[in-house]
Amino acid sequence: MTHQQANEYLGRIGFSGKLIPGPATLKEMQKKHLLQVPFENLDIHIGREIVLDPERLFKKVITNKRGGFCYELNLLFNELLCLAGFETRLVSARVTDGSGGFGDEFDHMAIIVTINGNEYLSDVGFGEFTFAPLIILTGEKQIDERGEFVIEKYDEEHLIVRKKKDDSYEDQYIFSLTGRSPQEFEGMCRYHQTSPESHFTRKKLCSLPFDGGRITLTGDSLKLTKESVTTETPLNGSEEFSRLLKEKFGIVL
């Protein structure tokens, strides 16, 4: 990523502060990214292959003002963080399947950022998650604008991040601290674009948080959550989907 591209990227997410590689800058960059760049899987449903090439991703997400899923968004955000002077590495995560198990290795891509000897989990590609990076301290309850989270030891290789719901914590994903190359994620990136077993191939999705809520458009409904109240409106076909995609997210396919 060039400095000119970095400036375009920062303009895309609305960041105008100084790029001082510290916790406050990382926190602001992550939140602004989440508020401006949608989590979406639309290319999968219109037959456009997603390739983990930073130049192609830059054109899609920054120049064309699109969104993407984890491999795209976290890979691109990691490029920006590196240029800004942060020490980072990509890590593999495995998302909960809702029944006590987890996806395969490289099921999800996340970022570890090291600042002054402390490690932070940064993630702009996991839908409803934290606005702020999570410091990697096991057993430490962390209060974020999007809820309460805790990172704990899962096994000898993995940590697990959990989010509080009511009086208990729900699994989000397990992750290792081992640095990975983008190429190691290519197989699972293809899987999530092509396999009928992948939830990304089953329904088109575009989702964006805002302070106090989230708006989500799928192939059959528009869901708005604001101050814990959710309203869901059924859609009347593909034309309405396209209209709402442009109106609510500024995306034209």
Side-chain angles (χ1 to χ4, degrees):
M1 183 177 294
T2 67
H3 286 283
Q4 175 59 35
Q5 287 176 319
N7 288 333
E8 291 179 44
Y9 198 147
L10 294 171
R12 166 83 167 97
I13 65 175
F15 181 90
S16 57
K18 292 184 178 180
L19 285 180
I20 300 172
T25 302
L26 177 62
K27 180 179 180 180
E28 184 180 359
M29 290 174 72
Q30 177 167 312
K31 180 178 179 180
K32 286 184 176 296
H33 197 293
L34 288 164
L35 290 172
Q36 295 298 324
V37 182
F39 182 86
E40 51 111 326
N41 66 347
L42 302 176
D43 278 0
I44 295 171
H45 294 270
I46 58 175
R48 292 180 186 168
E49 184 183 10
I50 296 168
V51 179
L52 300 184
D53 174 73
E55 287 298 321
R56 287 181 60 168
L57 296 180
F58 184 89
K59 182 177 180 180
K60 174 183 176 179
V61 177
I62 308 305
T63 305
N64 295 336
K65 294 182 170 53
R66 289 280 307 281
F69 65 168
C70 72
Y71 307 108
E72 302 172 277
L73 301 184
N74 280 325
L75 179 58
L76 203 57
F77 189 51
N78 185 64
E79 293 272 320
L80 179 64
L81 293 177
C82 288
L83 190 139
F86 287 95
E87 179 186 340
T88 75
R89 64 188 185 274
L90 299 173
V91 296
S92 168
R94 299 165 58 190
V95 179
T96 179
D97 62 10
S99 59
F102 297 89
D104 293 334
E105 201 67 74
F106 306 109
D107 183 44
H108 177 66
M109 177 191 287
I111 307 167
I112 301 293
V113 184
T114 304
I115 304 173
N116 298 327
N118 295 315
E119 292 189 318
Y120 296 82
L121 176 66
S122 181
D123 197 333
V124 295
F126 194 59
E128 184 58 37
F129 199 51
T130 61
F131 270 171
L134 296 173
I135 190 167
I136 300 179
L137 291 174
T138 56
E140 186 87 6
K141 295 179 181 178
Q142 301 186 54
I143 307 299
D144 181 79
E145 294 177 70
R146 309 305 278 194
E148 183 177 310
F149 296 81
V150 64
I151 293 175
E152 298 174 332
K153 184 175 180 179
Y154 180 74
D155 59 24
E156 292 304 314
E157 292 186 38
H158 298 89
L159 299 172
I160 186 168
V161 56
R162 296 185 168 109
K163 181 178 181 180
K164 190 173 185 180
K165 183 178 181 180
D166 300 324
D167 295 324
S168 62
Y169 285 86
E170 291 187 340
D171 297 347
Q172 301 297 298
Y173 58 72
I174 60 175
F175 65 99
S176 76
L177 298 177
T178 302
R180 303 290 192 172
S181 70
Q183 291 74 27
E184 291 179 271
F185 294 88
E186 289 177 350
M188 284 301 291
C189 182
R190 283 193 298 273
Y191 167 85
H192 280 304
Q193 295 177 69
T194 60
S195 173
E197 299 300 317
S198 168
H199 56 276
F200 290 111
T201 62
R202 298 174 187 176
K203 180 183 288 188
K204 52 188 175 182
L205 167 76
C206 187
S207 185
L208 195 66
F210 55 87
D211 284 315
R214 173 174 289 275
I215 183 169
T216 299
L217 180 66
T218 66
D220 51 24
S221 71
L222 177 69
K223 182 185 292 186
L224 179 67
T225 300
K226 189 173 183 179
E227 297 176 354
S228 301
V229 177
T230 299
T231 57
E232 189 166 2
T233 306
L235 299 191
N236 185 24
S238 58
E239 288 188 6
E240 186 173 20
F241 178 88
S242 297
R243 177 181 64 80
L244 289 170
L245 187 64
K246 180 179 180 181
E247 179 183 310
K248 303 296 184 181
F249 301 93
I251 294 176
V252 177
L253 297 177

